[in-house]
Amino acid sequence: MGIKWNEFFITGDPLILGSQIAILLTMIGIVAGITYLRKWRWLWTEWLTTVDHKRIGIMYIIAAVLMFFRGGMDGLLMKAQTSGPEKEFLTAQHYNEIFTTHGVIMILFMAMPFLIGLMNVVIPLQIGARDVAFPHLNAWSFWLFFSGAMLFNISFVIGGSPDAGWTSYFPLAGKEFSPGIGNNYYAVALQIAGIGTLMSGINFIVTILKMRTKGMTLMKMPMFTWTTLVTSVIIVAAFPIFTVALALMTFDRLYGTHFFTLSGGGMDMLWANLFWLWAHPEVYIVALPAFGIFSEVIATFSRKSLFGYKSMVFSIVGIAVLSMVVWVHHFYTMGASPGVNSFFSITTMLIAVPTGVKIFNWLFTMRKGRIKMTSAMLWALAFVPCFVIGGVTGVMLGMGAADYQYHNTLFLVAHFHYVLIPGVVFAVFAGLYYWWPKMFGHMLNEKLGKWHFWLFVIGFNVTFMPMFFLGLDGAVRRAYTYSEASGFAPLFALSGIGSVVLAAGFAVFCYNIYWSFRYADRNISSDPWDARTLEWATASPVQHYNFAKLPEASSLDAFWYMKKNNEGLTLSDKEIKKIHMPSNSGLPFIMAIVFGVTGFFLVFEWHIAAAIAALGIVGGLIYRSFDYNDGYYVPVEEVQETESAWRNVKGEVNNHVS
Amino acid sequence: MSANLNTSLPLEYQSEQNRMNILGFWIFLGAEIVLFATLFGVYAVLFQRYAGGPTHQDIIMIKEVMIQTVLLLTSSFTMGLAIFEMRRNNLKGLITWFVITLLLGAGFLFMEVNEFIHYVHMGATMQTSAFLSSLFVLLGTHGAHVTFGIIWATMIIIQLVRRGLTPVTARKTFILGLYWHFLDVVWIFIFTFVYLKGLVM
């Protein structure tokens, strides 16, 4: 196999040496900690083998927060490097690697798992079901995502990070111009994670179509459920394209084919098209569920039904359709004819219409509402103006002719951060504050939440607003430094300061999680926000079978009307029946390791070892085919005991709505 | 989930979990359509980029391809007969037709491997030109699906022998049937757009 050990571990850079030592110490610390607390068995039976959608969701969210930290560190390093002209904090190569991993991690390993995590926790509850359609497959989805994410993350200490940008355009990303193994990590790790995502998409479509509770017709579904359904459809329609694109990239890099090469008749623009055919819908895959979260949060804290429910549904479907026909706007300047550019300019600007409808619907939902300024609501409020800035600059960029001016400048970078941070990050924070009691049975601290909010929102604006102006002045993206004579220094410095404030906001968020876990009040109501949808019709934290008796939905905002009409809130002993639940399984976790090992060998182009490891994948699938474990029944007594523990509580519970 | 069998429905549709599995598999086939459509798109972009290497006319062996096609189409028919026997609750007939299907599939695969070897002997490898890269990957992806299908089906036959026809084994068989027919449809497109079109160019 010819292993070059001196190229195996990255050496020579003090930053990376520090990370290697930190990773080693953290791993030793975790193993020692778990051993000391004797938590191995608990970890295995309660978490690693779980098929419970809520726990899988929580694991997704934990992974996403960790990846947020990693991607955020990348961002801070970039900001430190560009905070002054001609800085030599990072080398050009190191900077290339960092903006590549920052992009990939933030989109694929932070935004997506954060949202999929919230979907996992909330969707079955919101439609009044006991789990997703395929709980075991759901565990596979998570563990494949996790395997891909970890494989991608080790790249910077073992073998070298990919350095061709998150778009990995050819010919740069090909073997000729990126001869190291860094880009193999991109091709292989994203493939593994992508399989998991595709399976999540299928799982949620079937769950939402087939498992809604009695009375919940499609047009009575909560908005987050609707956006999850449409998002899942986009996942199924778009991810196979990426699967193919990555496979072809792997073939080009590992087996010398000529799909995207300059020689042998290959076509580099084919990659750009395939990539954006997936990556543009991907933007909506992360944006739509976020819109759903805002819809829930705004309706709850405005104490009103969502305004224009039908138009919301039509606009998300419209966005989903349009998301498939705008991909060329990412490369207007790369040789398309004026006719093509005009077509894609029009489709791009059309997206502003349904998005605008949604913005107005949120505003009208708030109009004359009795708004409660909770942390979750603050995120939704800040989202509207920030996202509109992102949206309007998006229309500017969408005009093909004008784009020649903005293309590849920091104006574009500022634009998509203004779309993705308010559109996704604000949303997952809003969702986290909102659904935290549902997940853990206690609230996140509202006071710390406000610190988190203000630091983060101010930091975000200070970081990215200057980048619009830098871009208009001609500062290009992905350049690791600039000259003093360019005059960019003051705005870059301001942006750098903003990023520190942003990071401080994130730190407060982490502290808030820690504080709330230790000190927050556990004696809270199961419905602390006085909310509207069915996930609040059961205990907080939710018992593992979700509902002792499946609720019925007679209208939109089903739980609100249950409370108003005092229907379906009580449970008599006669109504309790034994409940069928799926059994835990260690297979998904083991397969994550097998996939990770196979992927690792493939990255290093050790083909025989990879083929042997791949036999393990086939073996796992065969094992699964013969697995006839049909789940188990939760006995009536256990249900009775669990239900009486949260239902007839004596004394008052605390409602934490400020 | 295994409870509440609706016995008025065909065996594979009787439980709610089965109905969800079958719907989920249809959606998965939708994803597979996108996957193959992308590969066909790539082929459509690259199919005339010979880079000085062999062209369609130089390498295509239409007689062998015709036999492959007949084998695969027949296997789809016999798969239909297998499901028909399953609906008649005839386990023996089901397994017989199932095995015949797999033998036909294996014959197809054997010929495809020979075809690949023939190409390589003629100096037409995956590395020769963009045309051949896209050809090999398109055919290879289909061939890999057939291989996977044969392994999968073998597992299901073992389960049928061991457990007989139950809602669960019937569902597994039915889903494999869907998969097999899907591969057949993909092959029809490959036969038309790769081989026939290649011959008349």
Side-chain angles (χ1 to χ4, degrees), chain B residues 50-67:
Chain B
Y50 303 119
T55 64
H56 290 84
Q57 277 92 346
D58 295 335
I59 56 167
I60 289 178
M61 307 181 295
I62 194 62
K63 197 179 112 211
E64 280 81 354
V65 172
M66 200 59 222
I67 298 171

Short mmCIF file of all heavy atoms in Angstrom, two decimals, chain B residues 50-67:
data_model
loop_
_atom_site.label_atom_id
_atom_site.label_comp_id
_atom_site.label_asym_id
_atom_site.label_seq_id
_atom_site.Cartn_x
_atom_site.Cartn_y
_atom_site.Cartn_z
N TYR B 50 -14.79 11.47 -27.32
CA TYR B 50 -14.00 10.24 -27.44
C TYR B 50 -12.53 10.46 -27.12
O TYR B 50 -11.81 9.51 -26.85
CB TYR B 50 -14.13 9.68 -28.86
CG TYR B 50 -15.55 9.39 -29.27
CD1 TYR B 50 -16.12 10.05 -30.36
CD2 TYR B 50 -16.31 8.46 -28.58
CE1 TYR B 50 -17.43 9.79 -30.75
CE2 TYR B 50 -17.62 8.20 -28.95
CZ TYR B 50 -18.17 8.87 -30.04
OH TYR B 50 -19.46 8.60 -30.42
N ALA B 51 -12.05 11.69 -27.19
CA ALA B 51 -10.64 12.02 -26.91
C ALA B 51 -9.69 11.14 -27.71
O ALA B 51 -8.67 10.67 -27.21
CB ALA B 51 -10.37 11.88 -25.40
N GLY B 52 -10.04 10.90 -28.96
CA GLY B 52 -9.16 10.09 -29.82
C GLY B 52 -9.25 8.60 -29.56
O GLY B 52 -8.62 7.80 -30.26
N GLY B 53 -10.04 8.18 -28.57
CA GLY B 53 -10.17 6.77 -28.25
C GLY B 53 -11.28 6.12 -29.07
O GLY B 53 -11.82 6.74 -29.99
N PRO B 54 -11.62 4.88 -28.72
CA PRO B 54 -12.65 4.17 -29.47
C PRO B 54 -14.02 4.83 -29.37
O PRO B 54 -14.33 5.48 -28.37
CB PRO B 54 -12.67 2.78 -28.82
CG PRO B 54 -11.90 2.89 -27.57
CD PRO B 54 -11.01 4.07 -27.67
N THR B 55 -14.81 4.68 -30.44
CA THR B 55 -16.16 5.23 -30.45
C THR B 55 -17.16 4.11 -30.20
O THR B 55 -16.79 2.95 -30.02
CB THR B 55 -16.46 5.85 -31.82
OG1 THR B 55 -16.45 4.79 -32.78
CG2 THR B 55 -15.41 6.88 -32.22
N HIS B 56 -18.44 4.49 -30.21
CA HIS B 56 -19.49 3.50 -29.99
C HIS B 56 -19.36 2.34 -30.98
O HIS B 56 -19.38 1.17 -30.59
CB HIS B 56 -20.87 4.14 -30.17
CG HIS B 56 -21.23 5.10 -29.10
ND1 HIS B 56 -20.83 6.42 -29.10
CD2 HIS B 56 -21.96 4.92 -27.96
CE1 HIS B 56 -21.31 7.02 -28.02
NE2 HIS B 56 -21.99 6.15 -27.32
N GLN B 57 -19.24 2.69 -32.28
CA GLN B 57 -19.22 1.65 -33.30
C GLN B 57 -18.05 0.70 -33.14
O GLN B 57 -18.13 -0.47 -33.50
CB GLN B 57 -19.18 2.27 -34.71
CG GLN B 57 -20.54 2.67 -35.23
CD GLN B 57 -20.86 4.12 -34.90
OE1 GLN B 57 -20.18 4.73 -34.07
NE2 GLN B 57 -21.87 4.68 -35.53
N ASP B 58 -16.94 1.22 -32.56
CA ASP B 58 -15.76 0.37 -32.41
C ASP B 58 -15.97 -0.73 -31.37
O ASP B 58 -15.35 -1.79 -31.46
CB ASP B 58 -14.55 1.22 -31.98
CG ASP B 58 -14.17 2.21 -33.05
OD1 ASP B 58 -14.48 1.94 -34.23
OD2 ASP B 58 -13.57 3.25 -32.71
N ILE B 59 -16.79 -0.48 -30.38
CA ILE B 59 -16.80 -1.42 -29.26
C ILE B 59 -18.11 -2.16 -29.06
O ILE B 59 -18.11 -3.26 -28.52
CB ILE B 59 -16.42 -0.72 -27.93
CG1 ILE B 59 -17.35 0.45 -27.64
CG2 ILE B 59 -14.97 -0.27 -27.95
CD1 ILE B 59 -17.21 0.96 -26.23
N ILE B 60 -19.23 -1.61 -29.49
CA ILE B 60 -20.52 -2.23 -29.13
C ILE B 60 -20.67 -3.57 -29.82
O ILE B 60 -20.47 -3.70 -31.02
CB ILE B 60 -21.69 -1.30 -29.51
CG1 ILE B 60 -21.71 -0.10 -28.57
CG2 ILE B 60 -23.02 -2.06 -29.40
CD1 ILE B 60 -22.79 0.89 -28.90
N MET B 61 -21.05 -4.59 -29.02
CA MET B 61 -21.34 -5.92 -29.56
C MET B 61 -22.85 -6.11 -29.45
O MET B 61 -23.36 -6.61 -28.44
CB MET B 61 -20.63 -6.98 -28.75
CG MET B 61 -19.14 -6.73 -28.58
SD MET B 61 -18.39 -8.05 -27.64
CE MET B 61 -19.18 -7.89 -26.06
N ILE B 62 -23.56 -5.74 -30.51
CA ILE B 62 -25.02 -5.62 -30.36
C ILE B 62 -25.68 -6.98 -30.14
O ILE B 62 -26.68 -7.07 -29.44
CB ILE B 62 -25.62 -4.87 -31.57
CG1 ILE B 62 -27.07 -4.45 -31.26
CG2 ILE B 62 -25.56 -5.71 -32.83
CD1 ILE B 62 -27.21 -3.50 -30.10
N LYS B 63 -25.09 -8.06 -30.72
CA LYS B 63 -25.73 -9.36 -30.54
C LYS B 63 -25.74 -9.75 -29.05
O LYS B 63 -26.77 -10.14 -28.51
CB LYS B 63 -24.97 -10.41 -31.36
CG LYS B 63 -25.79 -11.69 -31.57
CD LYS B 63 -25.03 -12.72 -32.40
CE LYS B 63 -24.68 -13.90 -31.53
NZ LYS B 63 -23.42 -14.53 -31.94
N GLU B 64 -24.56 -9.59 -28.43
CA GLU B 64 -24.48 -9.94 -27.01
C GLU B 64 -25.42 -9.05 -26.17
O GLU B 64 -26.07 -9.53 -25.24
CB GLU B 64 -23.04 -9.80 -26.50
CG GLU B 64 -22.15 -10.97 -26.86
CD GLU B 64 -21.63 -10.90 -28.28
OE1 GLU B 64 -22.05 -10.00 -29.03
OE2 GLU B 64 -20.81 -11.76 -28.66
N VAL B 65 -25.44 -7.76 -26.53
CA VAL B 65 -26.30 -6.85 -25.77
C VAL B 65 -27.76 -7.24 -25.92
O VAL B 65 -28.54 -7.18 -24.96
CB VAL B 65 -26.06 -5.40 -26.24
CG1 VAL B 65 -27.07 -4.47 -25.59
CG2 VAL B 65 -24.66 -4.94 -25.90
N MET B 66 -28.11 -7.68 -27.12
CA MET B 66 -29.49 -8.12 -27.37
C MET B 66 -29.83 -9.31 -26.47
O MET B 66 -30.92 -9.36 -25.86
CB MET B 66 -29.60 -8.49 -28.85
CG MET B 66 -31.01 -8.50 -29.40
SD MET B 66 -31.81 -6.90 -29.23
CE MET B 66 -33.42 -7.46 -28.72
N ILE B 67 -28.88 -10.25 -26.37
CA ILE B 67 -29.14 -11.42 -25.50
C ILE B 67 -29.29 -10.97 -24.04
O ILE B 67 -30.20 -11.40 -23.33
CB ILE B 67 -28.00 -12.45 -25.64
CG1 ILE B 67 -27.94 -12.95 -27.08
CG2 ILE B 67 -28.20 -13.62 -24.68
CD1 ILE B 67 -26.73 -13.81 -27.38
#
